Amino acid sequence: MEGLLTPLKTTVSDIKSAKPQLAVFESKRPNGPACNGTLQSPEDILNALKSKPDSEHLTRVLRWLDAGAFKSDHFNIKIPSPKAAQIIFLLVSETIPDYWRTWQGADNPTLLNQRRLLLRCLSSVSGLGAIAARLRIFMDLKDDAREANIAQSSKSQALKELLDVLESLLQGISFISRILTDISSLISIPSQRTLLWKDFITSIASGRVLSLAAEADHFVNQSSLDSRQRCWLGDGSQYSSWLGENLAHSLIDRDQNLEALAQIFSRALKLGHIDHLVEAVCSRLIYGDYTLLISYLSLIKNMGVQEQKTFLYSLLRILSKRRLSSFTGNISVDKQQEHARILRGAGALISCLVKDSEVLKDALVSWLTGVSGDGIAQEQAIRRAVIAALSVDHGRELAWVVKGHADRQAIARMIVLFNKILELFGDKLFIRHTPMLHQQVLTQVLLMTAGYIQRENAQELYNIARSSLYLSAISNRLAASSPRASLLGMITATAVSELVDPKDKQMNFSMEEVHDAEGQWYRNLTKQKDTVGSIGDLKPVSDVLGKRQLGSPKSRATKSKPLKPSSTVTTSSKIISIVELDDSSASEDEDLVPYGKPDSDPEDSEEDATLVQRGRPVAPVYIRDLITGLRDTENYDQHKLAILTAPSLIRRKANFGTEVTEHIETLASLLVGLSDKYEIEKFQEKRLQCLIAVVVAQPLEMGQWFSRSFFNSNYSIGQRAAILTAIGLGARELAGFGTEDAAITGVDTPLSPSSSFPTKKLPEKLHKIFAAKDDEPSISPINKISSSLENSILQPMAASAADKLSGPNALKIRTFSSRMSVEAKRTKPIPNALAKIVADGFFLPLTGLWRIHLQSHGGGTSHQKTPYTQPPLLPLLLKTLSLLLHAAGPSTLPLPLLTSEFWSLLLSLLSLSSSLSSSSPSSSSSSSSDPEILEAILFGFLTILNVNTDNKKRIAEEMGKELLETRGWVEGIFERVGEGRVKVLAAGVLGGVAEI
């Protein structure tokens, strides 16, 4: 061992004189106010914060800073100054990273007090700006993380802490009020006060905090592995609601600067979530509390003209959705009285808001005529309230707010409204190119206005009925090519004639459509007499009465009477005889074979008896129990059972009693917004079955409700796609295609074919392997049905073309079939319940609301700025309309109207599809969306031509212009695109056009 190591050099060192290899350095804290406990100036606070104070010293620093808010001669951190900016910077950059994690979730009173003091020190415009600037710094470092060698986790933690601080700082409904009070009381120079308030508006109401919080929250959720609750500051709807609640709270203080609040309100209306903001601001007024009415009127008066209109239109939408949405269907007498009361309250609220503003009155007229495009999609009840509000004499004092009065001086305004509507009603271009939904709404407003004028001044209505404007309008209506447009003219002429002419001279067209239920409903609109009541009528009195009836638990306990004991209590003893049994009888049972022990019960598999759950959930048997189970997302078993049993229960109860009718809108809204919290197997399919059952239960009402929800509600793209799918499949089931669709899509319904019988299926493992292609979840049912329909339309056309190319008919052999075989192959006619309601229930609401939505977003100049004009919703909408038209069949009465509406809608999309198809194939967004839109448009044209096969002469005579425009566009598509499905569809459309 000694030979392995050879010493090369030997040295001797002095151990005493050698320097220590490990040097000990003492921590050097600056000897200053932070250590000796004296805090007398902002410089002392700065030195203390720079010295990394411990918990005790930090508490003293924060208390000294907080004392400035209560002492006039003390330094106040909320007043902008260089020293205050430095202190706030240190608090945000040093104190929050060091202590915030310790304060989160702490129960120690000292730590909670430190957290509260820090938030009070940062509760200012400067503090808010410092936090926002710190967020921006970290978000800018996000892209340069590798170069700066900063760990993603540390940045994510820093962003998370800043978001928590910002969320805690802004939490509550008094933040804006506190800031406005501080600015008004602490800043004496008006120019400085104005600049500070503008900076606060920019941070809060212009989207700076919202955008930063949303970006930071998105980064934190992507970086963190654990699930985390999203920050409400990054959600536009929740943030707008928070803003609205703060503004509403600020109005309580009558000393607040309403002009400043109007500035922040006007700026917040541009964030994009208008309805959430307005609903939070006006929640008191919407539910009948008019104690702050003067403050609300002053707030609106200080806003700009455009902001006032935006606010008014949003308030009308909220009233229609929240308070006037259940005014349809068969309702009881008590409900009718309650609805009439709410309607009077809504009219009073609207009339009060527009009382002193001619601009808002003109805006209401535009809203009624449909110029703004917003009032067409709302309920009829809100239009009744608006007409009642316009008919009020606004020259009276505010006493009518408490008790309404009939109008005696607003007749001139109503005559102007009637003439404007009549001018639109008789315009030829309006009749030909406006969606039928818009024309129907305009007819309703026209008749209600005519009824009011007749009650107030019958001579004025008589003069209007004899004017050239009225006669020209009715003549243009009667001469319209659309039967529906002509029918509306007949109904209007008959209704007005009943008002102004004697019975022996009244106009009568002797048509069944004018005198049926729908025509009678239109004519009764002239008798609709709505008055303005009090804003207090909007109070939900039924809820208050319900609470009073229920009472407290103690009162209910005292009211319940105990069972009275019997007057005579008999006590007796009973002698039980003891009988000795013979053991010989037991031998007779020895030949009986005992049952084996049962298998282990999964419910008893737990070793701990307290964990065994023996209470199994019971399937709901009532609709109200079903709604409770769907809402109970915390109980997995009950929630899952409700989802699984919902389709059959809805179908079973649809024609039994009034349960479904009374709760159908609540049920539909709950089903559309349902989320798969527990990842239930085939959840989407079950939810789709429920939605189809809802559509089939009440097709006319729910078809209109789903159409409005598709465009107006705050649903995701997936939920809107589910709405369209439910409309398409439900309508086709009404038309008799339920069995065929179930076989194509694989969605199990009560009409599903017997192919799903267990003996005709492979085992579970093999079924997943061999049936994977047929069960692709990525293909929607609408796309599957449309593909099948395309093949059924194109195959006969291809066979006919091949037959023509095979040679002359004289050389072909023709096979004759017997009469029995022909009858056997002939399909039996099926009842089509869809044909009666397809126009009013499904087709016209979808096409009309789509055009209105497009008009409200800038017409044809902003096609690609809304989700309704680009994939995936636009192709799905067009295919749904095509399936509705095909399911209605060639024998449906409103087929000319449906054809005209759908054809004009498709032609309006040609510019969009052409711009997409002309883009280069290498573009990522355009190339992916181009085939989908083109295929949907061509499929729509193909369906129109197929359904109108027996009406070729009418198509050529009445729609020659559309036919030529379609042929020219399709020829260009056929020459430009390559081989594929789009070219096949284009060839099919050209073949159909050539036949006409």
Side-chain angles (χ1 to χ4, degrees):
M1 292 294 295
E2 296 180 357
L4 295 177
L5 300 175
T6 303
L8 297 178
K9 185 179 180 181
T10 303
T11 57
V12 179
S13 61
D14 189 1
I15 300 176
K16 296 182 178 181
S17 61
K19 296 182 179 181
Q21 296 181 356
L22 298 176
V24 179
F25 293 90
E26 295 182 358
S27 177
K28 296 181 179 181
R29 277 186 175 271
N31 295 324
C35 296
N36 57 29
T38 58
L39 298 174
Q40 299 178 353
S41 64
E43 290 78 7
D44 298 341
I45 298 297
L46 284 174
N47 294 331
L49 291 176
K50 290 179 182 178
S51 64
K52 299 287 184 179
D54 55 14
S55 179
E56 181 181 355
H57 291 151
L58 179 64
T59 302
R60 296 174 57 196
V61 168
L62 293 177
R63 285 178 177 174
W64 191 90
L65 291 174
D66 186 59
F70 308 99
K71 299 178 181 180
S72 58
D73 57 344
H74 197 278
F75 171 79
N76 196 334
I77 194 175
K78 296 183 180 181
I79 300 178
S81 64
K83 294 296 182 182
Q86 295 178 31
I87 294 174
I88 290 175
F89 175 77
L90 288 176
L91 290 176
V92 174
S93 60
E94 301 291 341
T95 306
I96 289 177
D98 293 342
Y99 284 94
W100 187 260
R101 194 182 304 181
T102 306
W103 293 337
Q104 283 295 93
D107 297 332
N108 190 346
T110 303
L111 298 179
L112 293 178
N113 186 40
Q114 290 177 352
R115 180 177 180 271
R116 183 170 58 254
L117 289 173
L118 176 68
L119 291 177
R120 289 168 62 174
C121 293
L122 295 178
S123 181
S124 62
V125 180
S126 302
L128 184 64
I131 297 175
R134 191 71 176 172
L135 277 173
R136 174 49 59 194
I137 290 174
F138 277 101
M139 293 308 300
D140 291 340
L141 288 175
K142 173 172 66 71
D143 298 330
D144 302 331
R146 296 180 180 178
E147 299 178 4
N149 196 20
I150 301 176
Q152 294 285 340
S153 59
S154 61
K155 282 191 304 181
S156 176
Q157 181 63 33
L159 288 174
K160 183 179 178 181
E161 290 176 353
L162 289 173
L163 282 176
D164 291 340
V165 173
L166 190 60
E167 190 173 4
S168 302
L169 182 66
L170 300 182
Q171 197 169 13
I173 61 175
S174 60
F175 179 76
I176 294 179
S177 179
R178 294 198 309 268
I179 295 295
L180 183 56
T181 303
D182 291 340
I183 293 176
S184 302
S185 59
L186 299 178
I187 309 300
S188 58
I189 304 175
S191 59
Q192 188 178 4
R193 188 188 304 133
T194 303
L195 291 176
L196 197 61
W197 180 248
K198 287 184 177 179
D199 187 19
F200 178 71
I201 291 176
T202 303
S203 300
I204 290 294
S206 294
R208 179 191 296 175
V209 172
L210 174 62
S211 60
L212 283 174
E215 188 177 359
D217 187 54
H218 178 69
F219 176 74
V220 170
N221 284 318
Q222 282 189 334
S223 302
S224 60
L225 300 177
D226 300 332
S227 60
R228 171 181 172 272
Q229 186 178 4
R230 302 299 296 263
C231 177
W232 63 268
L233 290 174
D235 189 342
S237 59
Q238 296 186 35
Y239 184 81
S240 298
S241 299
W242 171 82
L243 269 177
E245 292 172 357
N246 273 260
L247 289 172
H249 179 77
S250 301
L251 291 175
I252 299 176
D253 187 1
R254 300 186 184 275
D255 297 332
Q256 289 285 17
N257 188 354
L258 293 177
E259 184 178 355
L261 294 178
Q263 292 177 1
I264 195 170
F265 189 24
S266 301
R267 190 70 66 88
L269 287 173
K270 301 177 182 179
L271 288 177
H273 302 271
I274 301 174
D275 290 351
H276 291 86
L277 175 66
V278 174
E279 184 176 2
V281 171
C282 301
S283 59
R284 294 173 176 268
L285 291 178
I286 294 172
Y287 290 95
D289 184 2
Y290 53 88
T291 54
L292 300 176
L293 180 61
I294 304 299
S295 300
Y296 279 106
L297 294 177
S298 301
L299 177 68
I300 298 170
K301 187 177 180 180
N302 286 292
M303 296 167 60
V305 174
Q306 187 60 38
E307 286 75 16
Q308 290 183 18
K309 292 182 180 180
T310 303
F311 165 77
L312 180 62
Y313 293 157
S314 176
L315 183 64
L316 294 178
R317 288 194 299 268
I318 294 169
L319 285 173
S320 176
K321 183 178 180 181
R322 300 298 183 192
R323 307 309 311 277
L324 304 173
S325 60
S326 59
F327 273 55
T328 58
N330 298 324
I331 55 179
S332 61
V333 178
D334 295 337
K335 284 289 185 180
Q336 290 178 2
Q337 294 176 355
E338 182 181 356
H339 291 170
R341 176 182 56 82
I342 296 176
L343 189 61
R344 292 193 300 269
L349 175 58
I350 298 168
S351 182
C352 182
L353 294 177
V354 304
K355 172 181 177 293
D356 299 323
S357 176
E358 293 296 329
V359 174
L360 293 183
K361 294 175 186 176
D362 295 339
L364 286 182
V365 173
S366 301
W367 187 85
L368 285 173
T369 56
V371 175
S372 63
D374 188 60
I376 305 301
Q378 306 305 324
E379 297 282 351
Q380 189 215 1
I382 190 62
R383 289 190 286 273
R384 292 170 54 184
V386 171
I387 292 175
L390 286 175
S391 64
V392 170
D393 182 9
H394 296 106
R396 301 180 186 272
E397 297 297 328
L398 281 179
W400 65 270
V401 176
V402 182
K403 184 177 181 181
H405 297 276
D407 181 23
R408 298 299 179 186
Q409 301 177 1
I411 185 65
R413 187 187 314 115
M414 301 301 291
I415 292 175
V416 171
L417 173 62
F418 186 83
N419 289 331
K420 285 186 177 181
I421 297 176
L422 192 61
E423 186 178 356
L424 276 177
F425 183 76
D427 187 78
K428 292 182 179 180
L429 293 177
F430 181 86
I431 296 172
R432 184 173 181 83
H433 299 289
T434 305
M436 191 53 59
L437 178 65
H438 190 172
Q439 299 186 38
Q440 291 176 351
V441 170
L442 204 68
T443 305
Q444 298 171 15
V445 178
L446 183 68
L447 293 176
M448 286 188 287
T449 309
Y452 172 80
I453 297 174
Q454 194 273 337
R455 288 189 297 270
E456 298 298 327
N457 194 336
Q459 185 62 36
E460 287 290 342
L461 184 62
Y462 180 85
N463 295 335
I464 294 174
R466 297 298 185 268
S467 64
S468 59
L469 179 62
Y470 176 80
L471 296 177
S472 176
I474 296 300
S475 299
N476 293 339
R477 278 281 164 180
L478 297 179
S481 58
S482 173
R484 185 70 176 178
S486 179
L487 177 62
L488 292 177
M490 296 179 190
I491 293 174
T492 303
T494 303
V496 174
S497 179
E498 291 176 352
L499 294 177
V500 300
D501 296 331
K503 291 185 178 181
D504 57 340
K505 295 183 179 180
Q506 290 179 1
M507 189 175 295
N508 188 2
F509 289 93
S510 300
M511 291 187 63
E512 183 181 354
E513 291 82 359
V514 179
H515 301 281
D516 62 1
E518 183 184 11
Q520 188 64 36
W521 180 83
Y522 272 96
R523 289 156 56 196
N524 288 337
L525 291 177
T526 58
K527 304 174 185 178
Q528 201 79 256
K529 187 177 181 180
D530 298 312
T531 59
V532 170
S534 164
I535 296 180
D537 291 334
L538 288 171
K539 292 181 179 179
V541 179
S542 59
D543 295 343
V544 179
L545 293 178
K547 293 180 181 179
R548 290 179 180 176
Q549 290 175 1
L550 289 176
S552 60
K554 292 183 179 179
S555 63
R556 291 199 302 270
T558 56
K559 290 180 182 179
S560 60
K561 297 181 180 180
L563 294 176
K564 295 182 178 180
S566 58
S567 58
T568 58
V569 180
T570 59
T571 57
S572 61
S573 60
K574 183 178 181 180
I575 300 175
I576 302 175
S577 60
I578 301 174
V579 180
E580 183 179 355
L581 299 176
D582 189 6
D583 294 340
S584 61
S585 59
S587 61
E588 299 177 358
D589 299 333
E590 293 179 356
D591 56 341
L592 297 177
V593 179
Y595 287 106
K597 294 182 179 181
D599 296 334
S600 61
D601 192 349
E603 295 184 357
D604 297 333
S605 59
E606 295 286 348
E607 296 181 359
D608 189 357
T610 60
L611 299 179
V612 178
Q613 296 182 358
R614 302 187 183 276
R616 295 183 179 181
V618 181
V621 293
Y622 298 106
I623 296 297
R624 61 176 180 272
D625 297 335
L626 175 63
I627 293 175
T628 303
L630 293 175
R631 286 175 174 169
D632 189 10
T633 56
E634 302 301 326
N635 189 343
Y636 167 75
D637 295 328
Q638 189 67 35
H639 186 65
K640 180 180 179 180
L641 187 60
I643 293 175
L644 296 179
T645 58
S648 59
L649 179 61
I650 296 172
R651 291 179 181 272
R652 189 169 65 250
K653 294 283 186 176
N655 299 320
F656 182 79
T658 60
E659 278 189 281
V660 175
T661 305
E662 293 175 353
H663 302 90
I664 194 163
E665 289 190 5
T666 304
L667 190 60
S669 178
L670 192 61
L671 290 171
V672 173
L674 203 61
S675 60
D676 190 9
K677 180 179 180 180
Y678 299 105
E679 297 183 357
I680 300 174
E681 186 180 1
K682 295 184 177 182
F683 170 80
Q684 299 295 340
E685 180 179 336
K686 293 296 181 183
R687 186 181 68 163
L688 181 58
Q689 292 177 17
C690 297
L691 293 175
I692 294 174
V694 169
V695 173
V696 175
Q698 296 286 331
L700 182 60
E701 293 79 6
M702 296 314 298
Q704 297 173 355
W705 186 91
F706 277 120
S707 301
R708 290 193 301 268
S709 300
F710 176 75
F711 290 99
N712 299 334
S713 301
N714 297 318
Y715 291 130
S716 64
I717 292 181
Q719 291 169 339
R720 296 180 196 272
I723 290 175
L724 287 179
T725 305
I727 290 175
L729 296 184
R732 285 180 61 84
E733 182 176 333
L734 291 171
F737 295 97
T739 304
E740 178 183 343
D741 292 347
I744 296 174
T745 61
V747 178
D748 294 331
T749 64
L751 301 175
S752 299
S754 58
S755 58
S756 60
F757 196 75
T759 58
K760 295 187 178 182
K761 276 189 176 182
L762 293 172
E764 185 84 22
K765 297 181 180 180
L766 298 178
H767 180 77
K768 291 181 179 180
I769 298 174
F770 292 100
K773 296 182 179 180
D774 298 332
D775 298 337
E776 294 182 2
S778 59
I779 303 177
S780 66
I782 294 293
N783 290 331
K784 291 181 179 180
I785 297 175
S786 61
S787 299
S788 176
L789 186 57
E790 288 174 11
N791 295 332
S792 64
I793 296 175
L794 293 175
Q795 283 178 0
M797 299 177 65
S800 176
D803 184 64
K804 291 179 180 179
L805 294 176
S806 62
N809 294 333
L811 300 179
K812 298 176 184 177
I813 299 175
R814 183 177 179 183
T815 304
F816 293 92
S817 302
S818 63
R819 181 181 300 177
M820 299 296 293
S821 60
V822 172
E823 292 294 335
K825 294 180 181 179
R826 181 176 298 174
T827 58
K828 297 181 179 180
I830 54 178
N832 192 344
L834 178 67
K836 300 178 182 179
I837 60 172
V838 63
D840 296 332
F842 298 95
F843 205 90
L844 295 182
L846 284 175
T847 56
L849 290 174
W850 187 87
R851 287 194 176 185
I852 292 168
H853 175 83
L854 192 64
Q855 178 185 356
S856 62
H857 285 77
T861 59
S862 56
H863 277 293
Q864 302 189 24
K865 294 183 180 180
T866 61
Y868 305 106
T869 55
Q870 51 187 333
L873 289 185
L874 179 58
L876 191 61
L877 174 62
L878 296 179
K879 290 181 179 180
T880 302
L881 292 172
S882 301
L883 294 180
L884 288 174
L885 183 63
H886 176 267
S891 301
T892 182
L893 292 178
L895 181 61
L897 173 62
L898 303 182
T899 302
S900 176
E901 285 283 322
F902 195 26
W903 209 325
S904 60
L905 186 146
L906 292 175
L907 291 177
S908 66
L909 292 171
L910 298 189
S911 59
L912 172 63
S913 58
S914 298
S915 63
L916 291 175
S917 61
S918 60
S919 60
S920 59
S922 59
S923 61
S924 60
S925 62
S926 299
S927 62
S928 62
S929 58
D930 175 25
E932 299 179 27
I933 297 178
L934 285 178
E935 182 180 345
I937 294 176
L938 292 172
F939 177 60
F941 284 133
L942 190 64
T943 306
I944 290 175
L945 297 174
N946 177 261
V947 174
N948 290 275
T949 304
D950 300 332
N951 302 316
K952 297 178 181 178
K953 182 178 179 181
R954 182 185 59 80
I955 292 294
E957 292 177 351
E958 299 179 1
M959 311 192 69
K961 180 182 177 181
E962 290 83 354
L963 196 64
L964 293 177
E965 186 176 354
T966 301
R967 186 183 66 177
W969 179 78
V970 176
E971 286 178 351
I973 294 295
F974 183 79
E975 295 174 357
R976 186 163 57 247
V977 300
E979 297 293 335
R981 192 165 191 81
V982 174
K983 191 160 190 173
V984 172
L985 288 172
V989 174
L990 291 176
V993 172
E995 291 181 1
I996 298 178

